[in-house]
Amino acid sequence: MKILLVEDDQALAEALKRALEMHGQVVDLITDGAQALAWLNSEHFDLIVLDLGLPGLDGMELLREARAGGHQMPVLIITARDAVPDRVAGLNLGADDYLVKPFELDEFLARVRALYRRAQGRGSDAVELGPLVFEGSKRELRHGDHVITMTPRETALFEVLLQQVGAVVTKQQIGDSLFSIDNDAQLSAVEVYVHRLRKQLAPYGLSIRTVRGLGYMLEKPE
Ligand code: CA
Protein backbone atom coordinates (compact mmCIF):
# COMPACT_ATOMS: atom_id res chain seq x y z
CA MET A 1 0.00 0.00 0.00
CA LYS A 2 1.21 3.47 -0.83
CA ILE A 3 0.79 6.17 1.76
CA LEU A 4 1.01 9.95 1.55
CA LEU A 5 2.29 11.20 4.89
CA VAL A 6 1.72 14.92 5.39
CA GLU A 7 3.46 16.11 8.53
CA ASP A 8 5.70 19.12 9.10
CA ASP A 9 7.21 17.98 12.40
CA GLN A 10 10.39 16.49 10.97
CA ALA A 11 11.24 14.18 13.86
CA LEU A 12 7.74 12.75 14.13
CA ALA A 13 7.41 12.47 10.36
CA GLU A 14 10.64 10.51 10.06
CA ALA A 15 9.63 8.18 12.89
CA LEU A 16 6.25 7.46 11.31
CA LYS A 17 7.78 6.97 7.89
CA ARG A 18 10.32 4.51 9.27
CA ALA A 19 7.68 2.57 11.18
CA LEU A 20 5.45 2.28 8.12
CA GLU A 21 8.33 1.28 5.89
CA MET A 22 9.42 -1.37 8.35
CA HIS A 23 5.95 -2.83 7.88
CA GLY A 24 6.41 -2.91 4.16
CA GLN A 25 4.47 0.21 3.22
CA VAL A 26 5.63 2.65 0.58
CA VAL A 27 5.62 6.17 2.00
CA ASP A 28 5.91 9.58 0.41
CA LEU A 29 6.55 12.22 3.02
CA ILE A 30 5.67 15.83 2.43
CA THR A 31 5.78 18.71 4.87
CA ASP A 32 3.78 21.36 3.01
CA GLY A 33 -0.01 21.30 2.58
CA ALA A 34 -0.17 22.94 -0.83
CA GLN A 35 2.48 20.64 -2.23
CA ALA A 36 0.67 17.63 -0.78
CA LEU A 37 -2.47 18.62 -2.65
CA ALA A 38 -0.49 18.89 -5.89
CA TRP A 39 0.90 15.38 -5.35
CA LEU A 40 -2.55 14.02 -4.62
CA ASN A 41 -3.69 15.27 -7.97
CA SER A 42 -0.85 13.66 -9.87
CA GLU A 43 -0.11 10.38 -8.06
CA HIS A 44 -2.08 7.46 -6.76
CA PHE A 45 -2.14 6.92 -3.00
CA ASP A 46 -4.04 4.29 -1.03
CA LEU A 47 -4.21 6.25 2.18
CA ILE A 48 -3.34 9.67 3.62
CA VAL A 49 -1.92 10.35 7.07
CA LEU A 50 -2.61 14.01 7.65
CA ASP A 51 -1.40 16.51 10.22
CA LEU A 52 -3.69 19.52 10.62
CA GLY A 53 -1.31 22.38 11.40
CA LEU A 54 0.69 22.64 8.18
CA PRO A 55 2.50 25.34 6.25
CA GLY A 56 1.23 26.13 2.77
CA LEU A 57 -2.26 24.81 3.22
CA ASP A 58 -3.94 23.86 6.49
CA GLY A 59 -4.72 20.13 6.87
CA MET A 60 -8.49 20.74 7.14
CA GLU A 61 -8.42 22.76 3.97
CA LEU A 62 -6.33 20.12 2.24
CA LEU A 63 -8.83 17.46 3.26
CA ARG A 64 -11.76 19.56 2.06
CA GLU A 65 -10.10 20.15 -1.31
CA ALA A 66 -9.12 16.49 -1.67
CA ARG A 67 -12.69 15.29 -1.05
CA ALA A 68 -14.12 18.00 -3.29
CA GLY A 69 -11.72 16.81 -5.97
CA GLY A 70 -13.15 13.31 -5.72
CA HIS A 71 -10.31 11.62 -3.82
CA GLN A 72 -11.86 8.74 -1.93
CA MET A 73 -8.91 7.15 -0.16
CA PRO A 74 -9.06 6.81 3.64
CA VAL A 75 -7.62 9.69 5.66
CA LEU A 76 -6.19 9.36 9.13
CA ILE A 77 -5.81 12.72 10.88
CA ILE A 78 -3.00 13.01 13.38
CA THR A 79 -3.00 16.15 15.41
CA ALA A 80 -2.22 17.76 18.73
CA ARG A 81 -5.51 19.60 18.61
CA ASP A 82 -7.54 17.32 20.77
CA ALA A 83 -10.47 19.70 21.07
CA VAL A 84 -13.79 18.07 20.25
CA PRO A 85 -14.86 20.72 17.70
CA ASP A 86 -11.78 20.07 15.58
CA ARG A 87 -12.38 16.38 15.70
CA VAL A 88 -15.98 16.76 14.61
CA ALA A 89 -14.99 19.21 11.87
CA GLY A 90 -12.38 16.80 10.57
CA LEU A 91 -14.78 13.89 10.50
CA ASN A 92 -17.43 16.06 8.85
CA LEU A 93 -14.97 16.96 6.15
CA GLY A 94 -14.48 13.29 5.40
CA ALA A 95 -11.63 12.10 7.58
CA ASP A 96 -11.99 8.42 8.42
CA ASP A 97 -10.19 8.32 11.72
CA TYR A 98 -8.50 10.56 14.20
CA LEU A 99 -5.41 10.07 16.34
CA VAL A 100 -4.38 12.61 18.97
CA LYS A 101 -0.68 13.23 19.52
CA PRO A 102 1.22 11.90 21.29
CA PHE A 103 0.32 8.33 20.37
CA GLU A 104 2.02 4.96 20.40
CA LEU A 105 3.50 3.73 17.13
CA ASP A 106 1.71 0.40 17.52
CA GLU A 107 -1.60 2.18 17.82
CA PHE A 108 -0.79 4.28 14.77
CA LEU A 109 0.11 1.23 12.67
CA ALA A 110 -3.01 -0.63 13.78
CA ARG A 111 -5.24 2.31 12.80
CA VAL A 112 -3.59 2.61 9.39
CA ARG A 113 -4.07 -1.07 8.73
CA ALA A 114 -7.69 -1.04 9.93
CA LEU A 115 -8.57 1.95 7.75
CA TYR A 116 -7.04 0.34 4.73
CA ARG A 117 -8.89 -2.88 5.36
CA ARG A 118 -12.18 -1.06 5.77
CA ALA A 119 -11.57 0.79 2.51
CA GLN A 120 -11.02 -2.54 0.79
CA GLY A 121 -14.37 -3.67 2.11
CA ARG A 122 -12.82 -6.46 4.09
CA GLY A 123 -13.97 -6.74 7.68
CA SER A 124 -11.89 -9.81 8.15
CA ASP A 125 -8.24 -9.65 7.58
CA ALA A 126 -7.60 -13.01 5.97
CA VAL A 127 -8.02 -13.65 2.27
CA GLU A 128 -8.05 -17.17 0.90
CA LEU A 129 -6.55 -17.88 -2.43
CA GLY A 130 -6.58 -21.53 -3.40
CA PRO A 131 -4.46 -23.39 -0.87
CA LEU A 132 -3.00 -20.16 0.52
CA VAL A 133 -4.22 -17.66 3.11
CA PHE A 134 -2.99 -14.09 3.20
CA GLU A 135 -3.31 -12.37 6.54
CA GLY A 136 -3.15 -8.63 5.95
CA SER A 137 -2.44 -7.45 9.48
CA LYS A 138 0.62 -9.69 9.73
CA ARG A 139 1.36 -9.33 6.02
CA GLU A 140 1.81 -13.05 6.00
CA LEU A 141 1.12 -15.57 3.29
CA ARG A 142 0.60 -19.06 4.61
CA HIS A 143 0.14 -22.55 3.34
CA GLY A 144 -1.32 -24.31 6.34
CA ASP A 145 1.13 -23.56 9.12
CA HIS A 146 3.98 -22.82 6.77
CA VAL A 147 4.72 -19.14 6.23
CA ILE A 148 5.93 -18.33 2.74
CA THR A 149 8.93 -16.06 3.02
CA MET A 150 8.64 -12.92 0.96
CA THR A 151 10.49 -9.62 1.03
CA PRO A 152 8.46 -6.47 1.87
CA ARG A 153 8.43 -5.50 -1.82
CA GLU A 154 7.27 -8.94 -2.89
CA THR A 155 4.54 -8.77 -0.28
CA ALA A 156 3.51 -5.31 -1.52
CA LEU A 157 3.36 -6.64 -5.06
CA PHE A 158 1.29 -9.60 -3.94
CA GLU A 159 -1.14 -7.25 -2.18
CA VAL A 160 -1.58 -5.11 -5.27
CA LEU A 161 -2.30 -8.15 -7.44
CA LEU A 162 -4.54 -9.69 -4.80
CA GLN A 163 -6.72 -6.58 -4.63
CA GLN A 164 -7.63 -7.16 -8.24
CA VAL A 165 -7.31 -10.90 -8.50
CA GLY A 166 -8.54 -12.13 -11.87
CA ALA A 167 -8.10 -8.70 -13.43
CA VAL A 168 -5.18 -7.01 -15.14
CA VAL A 169 -3.07 -4.63 -13.09
CA THR A 170 -0.91 -2.33 -15.19
CA LYS A 171 2.81 -2.08 -14.77
CA GLN A 172 2.38 1.59 -13.95
CA GLN A 173 -0.12 0.81 -11.19
CA ILE A 174 2.29 -1.73 -9.75
CA GLY A 175 5.21 0.70 -9.98
CA ASP A 176 3.17 3.39 -8.26
CA SER A 177 2.30 1.05 -5.42
CA LEU A 178 5.77 -0.36 -4.97
CA PHE A 179 7.98 2.68 -5.14
CA SER A 180 7.89 6.17 -3.69
CA ILE A 181 8.01 9.19 -5.97
CA ASP A 182 11.68 9.83 -5.44
CA ASN A 183 12.56 6.32 -6.53
CA ASP A 184 12.92 6.17 -10.30
CA ALA A 185 14.03 2.53 -10.55
CA GLN A 186 10.35 1.85 -11.13
CA LEU A 187 9.06 0.13 -14.22
CA SER A 188 11.97 -2.09 -15.19
CA ALA A 189 12.18 -3.26 -11.58
CA VAL A 190 8.53 -4.29 -11.65
CA GLU A 191 9.40 -7.13 -14.02
CA VAL A 192 12.07 -8.35 -11.64
CA TYR A 193 9.68 -8.44 -8.70
CA VAL A 194 6.95 -10.13 -10.72
CA HIS A 195 9.44 -12.75 -11.83
CA ARG A 196 10.49 -13.46 -8.23
CA LEU A 197 6.96 -13.56 -6.89
CA ARG A 198 5.87 -15.83 -9.70
CA LYS A 199 8.55 -18.33 -8.66
CA GLN A 200 7.41 -18.10 -5.04
CA LEU A 201 3.79 -18.82 -5.90
CA ALA A 202 4.24 -21.46 -8.58
CA PRO A 203 4.65 -24.43 -6.19
CA TYR A 204 1.17 -23.66 -4.81
CA GLY A 205 -0.50 -23.64 -8.20
CA LEU A 206 -0.90 -19.88 -8.32
CA SER A 207 0.21 -18.06 -11.41
CA ILE A 208 0.79 -14.49 -12.44
CA ARG A 209 -0.04 -14.09 -16.08
CA THR A 210 1.69 -11.53 -18.25
CA VAL A 211 -0.86 -9.76 -20.40
CA ARG A 212 1.29 -8.40 -23.13
CA GLY A 213 1.18 -4.64 -23.49
CA LEU A 214 -1.20 -4.32 -20.53
CA GLY A 215 0.23 -5.66 -17.33
CA TYR A 216 -0.10 -8.61 -15.01
CA MET A 217 -2.88 -10.68 -13.60
CA LEU A 218 -2.93 -12.89 -10.54
CA GLU A 219 -5.07 -15.75 -11.72
CA LYS A 220 -7.83 -17.14 -9.59
CA PRO A 221 -7.08 -20.75 -8.70
CA GLU A 222 -9.35 -23.34 -10.28
CA1 CA B 1 2.09 20.45 12.34
Short mmCIF file of all heavy atoms in Angstrom, two decimals, residues 7-9 51-55 101, ligand 1:
data_model
loop_
_atom_site.label_atom_id
_atom_site.label_comp_id
_atom_site.label_asym_id
_atom_site.label_seq_id
_atom_site.Cartn_x
_atom_site.Cartn_y
_atom_site.Cartn_z
N GLU A 7 3.12 15.75 7.15
CA GLU A 7 3.46 16.11 8.53
C GLU A 7 4.68 17.02 8.50
O GLU A 7 5.69 16.68 7.87
CB GLU A 7 3.74 14.82 9.32
CG GLU A 7 4.38 15.00 10.68
CD GLU A 7 3.52 15.79 11.64
OE1 GLU A 7 2.53 15.22 12.16
OE2 GLU A 7 3.83 16.98 11.86
N ASP A 8 4.59 18.17 9.16
CA ASP A 8 5.70 19.12 9.10
C ASP A 8 6.64 19.03 10.30
O ASP A 8 7.67 19.69 10.33
CB ASP A 8 5.19 20.56 8.94
CG ASP A 8 4.38 21.01 10.14
OD1 ASP A 8 3.71 20.15 10.74
OD2 ASP A 8 4.42 22.20 10.47
N ASP A 9 6.29 18.21 11.28
CA ASP A 9 7.21 17.98 12.40
C ASP A 9 8.20 16.90 11.94
O ASP A 9 7.87 15.72 11.86
CB ASP A 9 6.40 17.49 13.61
CG ASP A 9 7.28 17.13 14.80
OD1 ASP A 9 8.47 16.77 14.60
OD2 ASP A 9 6.78 17.18 15.93
N ASP A 51 -1.51 15.58 9.10
CA ASP A 51 -1.40 16.51 10.22
C ASP A 51 -2.30 17.71 9.90
O ASP A 51 -2.53 18.01 8.72
CB ASP A 51 0.07 16.94 10.35
CG ASP A 51 0.28 17.96 11.44
OD1 ASP A 51 -0.45 17.93 12.45
OD2 ASP A 51 1.20 18.80 11.28
N LEU A 52 -2.80 18.40 10.92
CA LEU A 52 -3.69 19.52 10.62
C LEU A 52 -2.95 20.85 10.50
O LEU A 52 -3.19 21.63 9.58
CB LEU A 52 -4.80 19.63 11.68
CG LEU A 52 -5.87 18.55 11.63
CD1 LEU A 52 -6.99 18.86 12.63
CD2 LEU A 52 -6.46 18.39 10.24
N GLY A 53 -2.04 21.11 11.44
CA GLY A 53 -1.31 22.38 11.40
C GLY A 53 -0.14 22.27 10.43
O GLY A 53 0.90 21.70 10.75
N LEU A 54 -0.32 22.80 9.23
CA LEU A 54 0.69 22.64 8.18
C LEU A 54 1.00 23.99 7.53
O LEU A 54 0.11 24.82 7.40
CB LEU A 54 0.17 21.72 7.07
CG LEU A 54 -0.01 20.24 7.37
CD1 LEU A 54 -0.80 19.61 6.24
CD2 LEU A 54 1.33 19.55 7.54
N PRO A 55 2.22 24.17 7.07
CA PRO A 55 2.50 25.34 6.25
C PRO A 55 1.91 25.14 4.84
O PRO A 55 1.63 24.02 4.46
CB PRO A 55 4.03 25.39 6.19
CG PRO A 55 4.46 23.98 6.41
CD PRO A 55 3.40 23.33 7.27
N LYS A 101 -2.08 13.33 19.10
CA LYS A 101 -0.68 13.23 19.52
C LYS A 101 -0.59 13.57 21.01
O LYS A 101 -1.33 14.44 21.48
CB LYS A 101 0.18 14.24 18.75
CG LYS A 101 0.23 14.03 17.27
CD LYS A 101 0.96 15.24 16.64
CE LYS A 101 0.79 15.24 15.14
NZ LYS A 101 1.32 16.48 14.53
CA CA B 1 2.09 20.45 12.34
#
